[in-house]
Amino acid sequence: LTPPSGSGSMSGMSNNGVAGYYSGGITKTGNMSTSDKLSYATDTFTALKKALSQQTQAPSSISNSGTAGYVAAGSGPTFANSSIIDKITYSTDTTTTLSATTSVAAYGMPSASNGSTAGYICATVASNIDKLSFSTETRSTFGNNSIPVGTYIGAAENIGSAAYFSRDTQASWTKLSFSTDTVSQISATLSSGTNFPTSANVSNFGKNGYIFYDSITFQDKLSFSTEITSAISVGSTTGYSLPSSFSNNS
């Protein structure tokens, strides 16, 4: 399967049981403003008629499954970083722009969603986390510079419990507890500290999170129950280059 826009460095989000969405990205001709929809029932792609408000690559994405998905920040049409948040309403596949913005203008910020409650974006350059309340579509920021310095690229979400953000060269995890909006470091480490994981998450609902690496042929599996990481082979001979992802958690 190939998305109609055929770009890389896209965001990925899921309307569970219905469809997944890729948005933004970059091709040889520049940044993209398109969104592509993958129907889970038929495994077919269609391009949404309403584009994002900007051409952007490596945006963040969060999803209020059943209602709407949000594509945030990224690098803009002139490669200047953005803080814009676009909303894709799932029932109509239409795109609008929120008045709320991310606290920093940046690209490649990992993100996670806690069911229908809120979405979180790790504002790495400010060592904080942005929280978008789905009910009010307002953004708050917390963390108080308590998140360790580093480039956070990957994320895995255990809905109702916690999100886990991974760092690249530090090979470590930062845990965000949804019930208290507090962050902590866990003892589990990534098996690779030199290659960038994906900018989107893959989670087996309530059980495990998975991080894919750029240009190597294995992935890390994080057990949510034990918070222990193990490396598993993906059976590829080429590895991945800046992949995007979403999960049908239905």
Side-chain angles (χ1 to χ4, degrees):
L1 294 173
T2 302
S5 60
S7 62
S9 297
M10 301 175 286
S11 69
M13 56 193 180
S14 178
N15 182 15
N16 293 330
V18 181
Y21 295 76
Y22 286 118
S23 296
I26 187 171
T27 65
K28 292 181 180 179
T29 60
N31 288 357
M32 304 291 290
S33 61
T34 54
S35 292
D36 298 326
K37 176 181 180 179
L38 173 66
S39 169
Y40 292 142
T42 61
D43 284 342
T44 55
F45 275 107
T46 55
L48 270 61
K49 294 181 179 180
K50 182 71 168 63
L52 301 175
S53 63
Q54 62 171 348
Q55 295 171 309
T56 183
Q57 63 169 303
S60 303
S61 58
I62 50 181
S63 180
N64 180 6
S65 186
T67 302
Y70 301 83
V71 181
S75 61
T78 59
F79 296 96
N81 293 340
S82 168
S83 61
I84 292 172
I85 302 176
D86 282 337
K87 173 183 179 180
I88 298 176
T89 300
Y90 291 142
S91 61
T92 58
D93 284 341
T94 54
T95 305
T96 54
T97 301
L98 301 188
S99 57
T101 62
T102 57
S103 61
V104 294
Y107 65 94
M109 297 186 290
S111 54
S113 303
N114 183 19
S116 60
T117 303
Y120 297 83
I121 298 172
C122 194
T124 56
V125 295
S127 295
N128 290 320
I129 293 178
D130 286 346
K131 176 181 180 179
L132 182 71
S133 171
F134 291 144
S135 61
T136 61
E137 293 185 340
T138 55
R139 186 265 301 165
S140 57
T141 301
F142 63 92
N144 299 321
N145 299 309
S146 61
I147 301 171
V149 175
T151 304
Y152 289 75
I153 302 296
E157 60 195 24
N158 184 9
I159 295 175
S161 180
Y164 299 83
F165 299 110
S166 62
R167 302 160 76 193
D168 57 351
T169 55
Q170 293 80 14
S172 62
W173 293 93
T174 293
K175 176 183 178 179
L176 165 66
S177 295
F178 290 143
S179 61
T180 58
D181 284 346
T182 55
V183 294
S184 59
Q185 304 304 301
I186 64 174
S187 59
T189 59
L190 300 172
S191 55
S192 174
T194 58
N195 295 83
F196 290 104
T198 67
S199 58
N201 65 71
V202 179
S203 297
N204 180 10
F205 186 58
K207 296 181 180 180
N208 307 295
Y210 299 85
I211 297 296
F212 288 84
Y213 291 92
D214 181 358
S215 303
I216 56 180
T217 58
F218 63 87
Q219 65 188 32
D220 274 334
K221 173 183 174 180
L222 175 68
S223 169
F224 292 143
S225 62
T226 63
E227 294 185 346
I228 294 175
T229 304
S230 57
I232 58 177
S233 172
V234 296
S236 169
T237 58
T238 58
Y240 299 84
S241 180
L242 294 174
S244 299
S245 56
F246 47 72
S247 302
N248 180 11
N249 293 322
S250 64

